[in-house]
Amino acid sequence: MFASDIGIDLGTATVLIYVKGRGVVLDEPSIVAIDTETKGVLAVGDEAQRMVGRTPGNITILRPLKDGVISYCDYTEEMLKRFLRRVIKHTIFKPRVLVCVPSGITDVEERAIIDAACNAGASKAYIIEEPVAAAIGAGIDISLPHGNMIVDIGGGTTDVAVISMNDVTVSASIKVAGNKFDDVLIKYVRNKHRILIGDGTAERVKKEIGSVCMEEGDEDKTVEVKGRCLMTGLPKTITLKTSETVEAFSECASHIVDAIKSVLERTPPELVGDIFRDGITMTGGGSLLKGLDTLIAKSTGIPVRIADDAVRCVVFGTGKELDSLSYRQDGILNIARQTR
């Protein structure tokens, strides 16, 4: 049986895999469980996620990717190997793999991802920038001589790009995204309430009541949060409000707005006109944070829309781009940088 081409959204928080002809076949956390004595990988993805906070001293849980790039090459390769084995069973030939990367990736980081994909079982590895894949996945025709602004907020990075005629005209990539919002909320609760909460609790609060702005008439929602009191060391329950998350998230949200303004300032006037007329498209899980689209629209004066199925836009765009692999030169290349 021949192997199908595969698209991978290799994210800091989640790995999504798209197999040509089958669609999205894998959506799991990008984490691994490591035996600290042997340094071997015990589990990856959902299986490793179930171990978080419940492991003995000889097992540690880590993310092999940080801020959208590889931090632990060996563990990233092993994670990819195990994921690929699940989705390409009973195949004779190795698949071609298209991997999404942040727009600000360096040549060294790009090489690390290509090597990891090849060592994990790909016959050839190709690279596509996340904003390009996100735009394609959001249903935007990027082949036209027309300016389209994409703001892709993932787990580790926020990528802002203006795309025209199949290429990125202006872009910026900052290491402020979903995970950073969790981190600042943990810090806020620790400093204000003297309570230590975990990553899972912070993410739950962010999704349930989190917001980056509140308008007159908005409900100040509440949620109960359990953590460890830093004064007594004992469990303690507190109540957090939406208004507190606005305070906690303000700096991160400002960084994202500043990155968007920076890209707009460097964009050619003709393309800026297109963006002002058609608006900004937001993708990625971080785009779902309440109030972020409103804040960006108010700060820039440009209408903002959140793409349908924003979380999977990048992997859907990667899947669509698989159709073009056969028409491109053999070997390793960055699709987003090749003239069509």
Side-chain angles (χ1 to χ4, degrees), residues 32-34 36 42 47-61:
V32 297
I34 308 297
T36 56
L42 301 176
E47 187 179 355
Q49 180 70 53
R50 289 191 288 270
M51 297 181 183
V52 174
R54 299 174 175 84
T55 59
N58 67 318
I59 298 176
T60 185
I61 307 294

Side-chain angles (χ1 to χ4, degrees), residues 261-289:
K261 289 181 176 179
S262 172
V263 169
L264 286 170
E265 289 170 359
R266 293 181 284 120
T267 300
E270 293 80 4
L271 299 183
V272 170
D274 296 335
I275 296 166
F276 266 87
R277 182 173 62 254
D278 298 336
I280 297 169
T281 300
M282 295 180 65
T283 63
S287 67
L288 302 179
L289 180 58

Side-chain angles (χ1 to χ4, degrees), residues 104-171:
I105 194 171
T106 66
D107 290 341
V108 173
E109 292 165 342
E110 182 175 310
R111 172 57 59 181
I113 289 176
I114 290 170
D115 288 345
C118 290
N119 292 336
S123 61
K124 293 175 184 176
Y126 302 82
I127 295 293
I128 183 171
E129 290 174 292
E130 286 179 358
V132 175
I136 296 171
I140 297 173
D141 185 353
I142 64 172
S143 65
L144 302 176
H146 184 91
N148 302 285
M149 174 169 270
I150 298 292
V151 179
D152 181 56
I153 308 175
T157 61
T158 292
D159 288 284
V160 184
V162 175
I163 302 170
S164 177
M165 299 181 67
N166 295 315
D167 204 357
V168 174
T169 304
V170 185
S171 68

Side-chain angles (χ1 to χ4, degrees), residues 121-280:
S123 61
K124 293 175 184 176
Y126 302 82
I127 295 293
I128 183 171
E129 290 174 292
E130 286 179 358
V132 175
I136 296 171
I140 297 173
D141 185 353
I142 64 172
S143 65
L144 302 176
H146 184 91
N148 302 285
M149 174 169 270
I150 298 292
V151 179
D152 181 56
I153 308 175
T157 61
T158 292
D159 288 284
V160 184
V162 175
I163 302 170
S164 177
M165 299 181 67
N166 295 315
D167 204 357
V168 174
T169 304
V170 185
S171 68
S173 182
I174 61 173
K175 296 176 181 179
V176 176
N179 291 348
K180 188 66 174 178
F181 281 99
D182 294 341
D183 292 342
V184 297
L185 184 58
I186 292 172
K187 183 178 179 181
Y188 178 88
V189 172
R190 183 178 68 239
N191 292 340
K192 183 175 180 179
H193 296 282
R194 308 303 295 169
I195 297 292
L196 183 63
I197 62 174
D199 293 339
T201 300
E203 184 174 11
R204 178 176 66 84
V205 172
K206 180 180 67 177
K207 290 180 177 179
E208 290 185 9
I209 67 164
S211 179
V212 299
C213 68
M214 291 185 68
E215 300 181 319
E216 187 176 349
D218 285 351
E219 180 185 358
D220 197 1
K221 298 180 181 178
T222 61
V223 65
E224 285 194 348
V225 175
K226 296 179 180 179
R228 186 175 77 244
C229 178
L230 295 176
M231 305 298 291
T232 66
L234 299 176
K236 185 176 180 180
T237 300
I238 61 170
T239 299
L240 284 180
K241 300 179 179 180
T242 296
S243 54
E244 291 182 286
T245 67
V246 172
E247 185 180 348
F249 295 154
S250 60
E251 186 174 354
C252 288
S254 294
H255 285 313
I256 292 174
V257 171
D258 289 344
I260 293 170
K261 289 181 176 179
S262 172
V263 169
L264 286 170
E265 289 170 359
R266 293 181 284 120
T267 300
E270 293 80 4
L271 299 183
V272 170
D274 296 335
I275 296 166
F276 266 87
R277 182 173 62 254
D278 298 336
I280 297 169

Side-chain angles (χ1 to χ4, degrees), residues 286-319:
S287 67
L288 302 179
L289 180 58
K290 188 176 183 300
L292 191 52
D293 55 338
T294 302
L295 178 64
I296 293 171
K298 282 185 174 182
S299 301
T300 62
I302 303 173
V304 177
R305 78 175 183 96
I306 300 174
D308 296 334
D309 203 349
V311 176
R312 295 191 171 192
C313 268
V314 170
V315 76
F316 285 148
T318 307

